[in-house]
Amino acid sequence: MKKIFFFLIISLPVFSQEYKKPPEVISSMIEAEPQPTLNFNNNGDLALMLRRDGYKSIEDLAIEELRIGGTRIDPVRYTSSRMTYYNSFSLLDINTGENIQMNHPENGKFSFFSWSPDESKVAYTNTTEDGVELWITDIKTKQSRKVSDKYLNDILVSPFQWYNSGSELLISLRCNSDMPSIKTVPSGPIIQQTNNQIAPSRTYQDLIKNSNDEILFEYLSCIELHKVSLNGKKSEFIEKGMVKDYDLSPDQDYLLIKKIKRPFSYLVPYYRFPYIVKTIDLNNKQEKTIADISVDEVRPIGFDATREGIRSVSWRNDKESELYWVEANDNGDPKVESDGRDIVYTLKSPFSDKKDELLRTNLRYSNISWGSGNYAILTERLWKNRNEVTSLVNVKDRSIEKVLFDRQYDDIYSDPGDPVFKKNEYNRNIVDFRKNSIVMIGQGGSPEGYRPFLSVLDLKSVSSTILFRSQAPYYERPIKLSSDNENILITSKESKSENPNYFLRDLQKNTNSQITFFENPYKKLEQLKKEVINYKRKDGIDLSAIVYTLDTYNPENEGRLPVLIWAYPREYTSKKVASQVRNSPYRFTRINYGSPIFWALRGYAVMASTEMPIVGFDGDQPNNSFREQLVMNAEAAIDKIVDMGIGDRDRVGVGGHSYGAFMTANLLAHSDLFAAGIARSGAYNRTFTPFGFQREERTYWEAPDLYNYMSPFMHADKVNEPVLLIHGEEDNNSGTFPVQSIRFFNAIKGHGGTSKLVMLPRESHGYRAKESILHMLYEMDSWLEKYVKNKPLKPDEGIFKNNK
């Protein structure tokens, strides 16, 4: 007798649906018009007031898009398909506060605003249905005009650069050629080969995949550089090809060109393709090859590793036409002992002599800021121990004259700030050296929170004199010093109850006058109470978070609230640095689509910017105890909100985006602290990123147990709380492939867990379409209402279970 088996399979269906909206209290803020931004001229007496629409529509995202060479291209308009635009602009007189209307194209899509050297005009682009146009606005007449009837190409490069005359521009036009034919039938297999080279590669996306991609990339990245007059009548052709960067020399006698060449790589993005660096003498058209740089596929393992050979070729801003670049003296391998890790070289025009060594760095070269009076500021870093050294360079003697700062760059309390720049005679930014001192602007990390400052650094004593520091109850941030009067400072000022606006501060008279009067576009947020809280986790590390509740909330009358904890973990090498306060109690409450603050308006206690430090102890790598430290952080946060009499321990949700999503999944897998979780655009299986991730530089083969230990996918059977997974279908962020969420959802489903997977069409790592954002908020709100606020309580819920 045959046995007949019956299998009953119960599964929720896969379905598509229309976009939905969250409750009005949330959706109204997404649909609000954003606050304008200011683009100041160099003098600081005028600013463009730039306005943009809110979020794009899904129709905008649905335009034709090519993804090749590690970039995303609009092949119709020859621009980035992910560009953000302004829709209008006006002129703000800083001294009087007058807002002056400017003539410009109607229904425009504006970007790349740039003041002319004499500040009498502003150049910008306008993207139409057919292409990118170049426009000029005259500040005196307030009128705009199109410079040329030809369309620009800004796929890989900035679309224009001013000449110092202010009457001409160097522009990047589309190459005048027909679209190449694309084969629909493959001509053969795709083959890659390696020959005993250690070549760890990141998980890049949107790479070249076949010969058709090669053809399209070469065609679309081709530009023609032309020198044009402002009226567009005079045009001089200069160069053509796959230019990925160009820059006029400060004296504008030469043009520096970085030109991509074949063969293209199938492993890395276009900016690591082989290329030639050359100069063109604009007077006689003679060319000099500076470097022929091979494909950058092979690098040693580690975050302090870099490519062999020449890198970062640029003009010195303090000289007429002198190049500088960096070369690794350790073959790019930080494990190699060397006499100086990097060497900085210079080469004078006409670039016929040998290169001259300027200096050697002990750490990896980071940047150099050229200044007046034969001085410069050098910054070098080493990721491994977070060491940063800032030095004063005597350019004339070609030596490091003095170390100014030797610190950990993640130590915000010791951050001295950054130098203030000024324009020199070549219209280039240089450090303003003033009688053995420079002016600095910093964020002002302190135990009281951020207190931005303006200071003078004495280069002899290496001591700072504070000229201005933000004072409670305000958060006031220096923006720009006037070039006419060093006592006049433009700041952005806000408080817990006052919307950010720009002010003109007289440092000598200690007066402050308001320039802009922007109103809060998110009025409903004024219904919230904000409190910065400080607490400790059980091993003594200081933590902080910002708690939002309705201003009318009364714990005695309303009882405890459901809680949403939103966080993003960060790694630190010391307990001291991990314990530092990284927020301000005096900032005005602002919001964007990814914020958790919406749910304070829905009756939750929201813990935003919740610190989740992962610390390396006694020489250990931070991630060696990643899970345990995450749970300690979460326990401390929950204990604090409960001890405050605000939060309900049994109704706490947790969420995060990207690495915060990874955190969320781990917390659900390895604790029973939470009622539910929300994970957006995360990575859950670390074997998909085998050559390192986030701040972990060990490879999977060096530490397989660590990769399994940290991957919530490997522990999906322990996720017994509901988790909402949201991901953009076209996420091109390194490591957070859309398949990460798909596979994690299937793993949870396969073990009988509760989960929902929402894939947002056309969206990348961050979400841009209004429809997508509103639907995301709808899903999050529905999930929190069902599984956190209205969670059915059980006697033993909310207790941490060690067996996880």
Side-chain angles (χ1 to χ4, degrees):
M1 180 179 178
K2 288 185 176 180
K3 293 182 179 179
I4 301 175
F5 296 91
F6 294 91
F7 296 91
L8 179 61
I9 300 175
I10 300 175
S11 179
L12 293 176
V14 177
F15 59 93
S16 179
Q17 64 179 21
E18 299 295 320
Y19 288 106
K20 294 185 178 181
K21 288 187 175 184
E24 191 273 339
V25 69
I26 295 176
S27 63
S28 61
M29 286 188 285
I30 293 299
E31 292 167 343
E33 183 178 340
Q35 183 168 304
T37 58
L38 298 188
N39 181 329
F40 292 93
N41 67 354
N42 179 58
N43 193 44
D45 60 343
L46 294 172
L48 293 172
M49 187 179 293
L50 308 174
R51 300 174 183 83
R52 61 179 176 85
D53 291 326
Y55 299 102
K56 294 186 176 186
S57 72
I58 195 66
E59 290 182 357
D60 293 327
L61 264 64
I63 63 172
E64 184 180 353
E65 180 181 71
L66 291 177
R67 303 176 207 162
I68 47 178
T71 188
R72 294 186 168 183
I73 298 169
D74 178 344
V76 175
R77 300 165 186 83
Y78 291 68
T79 187
S80 168
S81 58
R82 304 274 163 161
M83 185 74 75
T84 298
Y85 299 104
Y86 296 99
N87 60 36
S88 65
F89 60 91
S90 56
L91 187 66
L92 180 67
D93 188 312
I94 299 302
N95 294 311
T96 66
E98 182 184 4
N99 188 16
I100 305 164
Q101 296 305 307
M102 309 289 283
N103 170 267
H104 55 68
E106 293 184 4
N107 302 315
K109 293 182 177 181
F110 308 129
S111 56
F112 294 105
F113 288 90
S114 177
W115 291 85
S116 64
D118 62 1
E119 303 192 336
S120 66
K121 303 173 187 66
V122 173
Y124 60 94
T125 62
N126 177 35
T127 301
T128 69
E129 290 299 312
D130 298 317
V132 180
E133 303 171 338
L134 178 60
W135 284 71
I136 298 290
T137 292
D138 188 286
I139 297 300
K140 185 176 181 179
T141 66
K142 317 298 184 294
Q143 298 299 307
S144 293
R145 66 180 187 276
K146 188 164 62 172
V147 173
S148 171
D149 290 330
K150 295 182 178 179
Y151 292 117
L152 304 177
N153 181 341
D154 63 16
I155 291 172
L156 302 185
V157 297
S158 176
F160 63 85
Q161 181 179 357
W162 282 101
Y163 278 83
N164 288 339
S165 65
S167 61
E168 296 168 311
L169 294 129
L170 184 63
I171 65 174
S172 62
L173 299 175
R174 301 179 186 178
C175 284
N176 186 21
S177 57
D178 296 329
M179 175 70 81
S181 59
I182 300 300
K183 299 175 183 177
T184 56
V185 178
S187 58
I190 310 298
I191 298 172
Q192 297 187 49
Q193 183 174 331
T194 184
N195 293 308
N196 299 319
Q197 286 183 311
I198 298 175
S201 59
R202 294 193 63 177
T203 49
Y204 295 112
Q205 300 187 57
D206 300 338
L207 301 178
I208 285 179
K209 299 179 290 296
N210 52 49
S211 59
N212 282 344
D213 281 355
E214 293 191 44
I215 293 168
L216 286 171
F217 179 82
E218 184 167 19
Y219 170 75
L220 290 167
S221 65
C222 181
I223 66 168
E224 289 185 3
L225 286 172
H226 287 251
K227 179 182 180 180
V228 296
S229 58
L230 291 189
N231 58 18
K233 294 180 179 179
K234 182 181 178 183
S235 179
E236 177 188 349
F237 171 81
I238 294 178
E239 181 71 2
K240 177 180 179 179
M242 291 183 288
V243 176
K244 72 169 186 173
D245 193 20
Y246 66 90
D247 189 20
L248 291 164
S249 61
D251 64 4
Q252 305 198 330
D253 285 340
Y254 296 90
L255 179 66
L256 178 66
I257 295 276
K258 298 176 184 178
K259 203 169 182 180
I260 296 171
K261 64 175 187 175
R262 286 178 175 268
F264 300 143
S265 173
Y266 285 42
L267 295 178
V268 294
Y270 77 88
Y271 49 83
R272 292 176 68 169
F273 287 1
Y275 65 100
I276 291 176
V277 182
K278 67 177 183 179
T279 59
I280 301 174
D281 187 320
L282 297 177
N283 298 308
N284 58 27
K285 306 304 180 185
Q286 287 187 354
E287 299 184 4
K288 290 287 179 67
T289 298
I290 305 300
D292 191 342
I293 297 174
S294 60
V295 64
D296 186 9
E297 288 181 350
V298 179
R299 287 191 184 186
I301 295 172
F303 292 157
D304 289 317
T306 190
R307 63 166 300 132
E308 288 189 65
I310 292 177
R311 68 183 196 274
S312 304
V313 183
S314 302
W315 296 113
R316 283 182 55 173
N317 282 354
D318 61 333
K319 294 292 181 180
E320 296 91 341
S321 52
E322 185 170 326
L323 294 171
Y324 76 99
W325 64 78
V326 186
E327 295 184 32
N329 197 40
D330 56 6
N331 297 322
D333 188 347
K335 299 182 181 67
V336 172
E337 294 290 332
S338 62
D339 176 22
R341 196 148 299 285
D342 282 326
I343 304 177
V344 181
Y345 291 100
T346 62
L347 181 63
K348 296 179 180 179
S349 59
F351 320 110
S352 301
D353 297 331
K354 291 183 179 180
K355 62 187 179 184
D356 292 320
E357 181 177 327
L358 176 64
L359 54 86
R360 298 187 177 212
T361 66
N362 292 318
L363 311 181
R364 187 66 71 200
Y365 169 88
S366 179
N367 65 74
I368 189 167
S369 298
W370 304 97
S372 55
N374 288 314
Y375 283 99
I377 301 294
L378 169 73
T379 304
E380 46 188 302
R381 279 186 169 191
L382 207 60
W383 177 88
K384 192 173 187 65
N385 57 8
R386 312 301 195 271
N387 189 204
E388 178 182 82
V389 175
T390 304
S391 303
L392 178 66
V393 177
N394 187 318
V395 180
K396 185 177 181 181
D397 294 343
R398 309 187 80 78
S399 64
I400 293 177
E401 186 166 298
K402 179 183 294 186
V403 171
L404 300 176
F405 308 105
D406 188 343
R407 53 184 290 273
Q408 282 186 277
Y409 59 76
D410 56 357
D411 178 1
I412 61 172
Y413 291 1
S414 68
D415 185 357
D418 298 307
V420 171
F421 291 87
K422 69 173 185 178
K423 297 283 186 181
N424 63 7
E425 65 268 34
Y426 308 115
N427 199 43
R428 294 282 182 139
N429 284 322
I430 60 169
V431 179
D432 189 7
F433 286 90
R434 307 176 176 183
K435 297 180 181 178
N436 296 312
S437 67
I438 56 176
V439 180
M440 309 279 280
I441 290 178
Q443 63 180 351
S446 77
E448 296 80 39
Y450 289 123
R451 296 179 60 199
F453 65 84
L454 178 79
S455 68
V456 173
L457 175 67
D458 187 299
L459 297 174
K460 286 187 174 181
S461 63
V462 196
S463 60
S464 292
T465 301
I466 299 296
L467 300 178
F468 164 78
R469 187 189 292 275
S470 181
Q471 298 291 331
Y474 295 101
Y475 177 85
E476 189 170 2
R477 180 169 54 94
I479 301 294
K480 184 174 182 60
L481 272 175
S482 169
S483 61
D484 287 342
N485 185 344
E486 61 184 30
N487 290 313
I488 300 299
L489 175 66
I490 299 171
T491 68
S492 174
K493 183 179 178 182
E494 61 191 271
S495 71
K496 289 171 68 173
S497 60
E498 297 175 40
N499 189 59
N501 270 290
Y502 291 92
F503 285 74
L504 206 58
R505 176 174 285 277
D506 190 314
L507 299 173
Q508 192 173 39
K509 298 178 181 178
N510 196 27
T511 58
N512 210 13
S513 57
Q514 190 166 346
I515 302 170
T516 63
F517 296 84
F518 300 136
E519 294 187 359
N520 180 16
Y522 311 108
K523 287 287 187 182
K524 286 186 173 64
L525 295 180
E526 295 175 3
Q527 303 171 20
L528 299 181
K529 176 185 177 182
K530 171 186 175 181
E531 182 179 2
V532 176
I533 60 171
N534 300 288
Y535 51 99
K536 290 181 182 290
R537 75 184 196 189
K538 64 184 180 183
D539 62 356
I541 288 181
D542 294 318
L543 303 174
S544 66
I546 305 175
V547 175
Y548 296 90
T549 59
L550 284 169
D551 193 42
T552 57
Y553 168 63
N554 185 318
E556 292 184 4
N557 297 336
E558 301 174 52
R560 293 181 179 273
L561 300 177
V563 179
L564 173 60
I565 294 176
W566 200 264
Y568 189 96
R570 300 185 187 278
E571 299 86 349
Y572 300 97
T573 56
S574 74
K575 178 179 176 179
K576 172 189 170 184
V577 173
S579 294
Q580 293 180 343
V581 179
R582 287 175 166 78
N583 51 51
S584 168
Y586 306 118
R587 299 212 67 172
F588 190 74
T589 299
R590 306 289 291 168
I591 203 163
N592 58 51
Y593 81 86
S595 173
I597 301 173
F598 295 107
W599 285 278
L601 294 167
R602 294 280 285 153
Y604 294 77
V606 174
M607 296 183 73
S609 303
T610 309
E611 291 290 342
M612 290 277 175
I614 308 298
V615 186
F617 296 103
D618 301 323
D620 251 2
Q621 292 291 330
N623 284 338
N624 289 357
S625 54
F626 179 85
R627 287 172 9 191
E628 291 78 8
Q629 292 196 57
L630 269 189
V631 172
M632 273 198 293
N633 292 326
E635 284 180 310
I638 294 172
D639 287 345
K640 178 64 177 180
I641 198 74
V642 171
D643 291 345
M644 291 173 68
I646 295 174
D648 183 343
R649 187 183 295 276
D650 292 330
R651 294 187 295 159
V652 181
V654 63
H657 187 93
S658 193
Y659 209 56
F662 174 71
M663 169 207 73
T664 298
N666 267 301
L667 283 171
L668 296 183
H670 302 294
S671 79
D672 279 335
L673 294 167
F674 298 98
I678 298 172
R680 295 194 318 232
S681 298
Y684 311 104
N685 185 345
R686 283 302 165 196
T687 67
F688 285 0
T689 55
F691 285 104
F693 56 89
Q694 199 69 4
R695 291 295 177 261
E696 178 55 62
E697 63 177 349
R698 289 169 288 184
T699 72
Y700 171 77
W701 297 273
E702 291 175 314
D705 291 342
L706 176 76
Y707 277 65
N708 289 320
Y709 159 84
M710 290 186 67
S711 295
F713 176 84
M714 309 304 181
H715 307 276
D717 57 322
K718 301 174 185 175
V719 179
N720 56 12
E721 298 85 9
V723 57
L724 172 64
L725 301 172
I726 302 176
H727 216 118
E729 276 191 346
E730 298 174 6
D731 189 343
N732 64 338
N733 183 56
S734 179
T736 56
F737 314 103
V739 73
Q740 289 269 15
S741 286
I742 295 169
R743 292 287 183 262
F744 190 45
F745 171 77
N746 285 328
I748 294 171
K749 176 184 173 185
H751 287 93
T754 299
S755 185
K756 186 176 187 179
L757 175 64
V758 179
M759 303 298 292
L760 300 173
R762 297 285 181 171
E763 295 293 353
S764 185
H765 192 60
Y767 315 143
R768 300 184 304 146
K770 183 185 294 184
E771 293 87 345
S772 302
I773 291 164
L774 289 171
H775 189 88
M776 175 202 76
L777 295 170
Y778 159 80
E779 296 284 3
M780 292 176 63
D781 185 73
S782 302
W783 199 258
L784 291 169
E785 290 290 294
K786 181 176 182 179
Y787 292 111
V788 177
K789 180 185 283 187
N790 298 302
K791 171 194 171 185
L793 298 181
K794 298 178 183 179
D796 63 342
E797 280 194 320
I799 299 173
F800 180 66
K801 296 176 182 174
N802 291 322
N803 63 351
K804 275 201 169 187

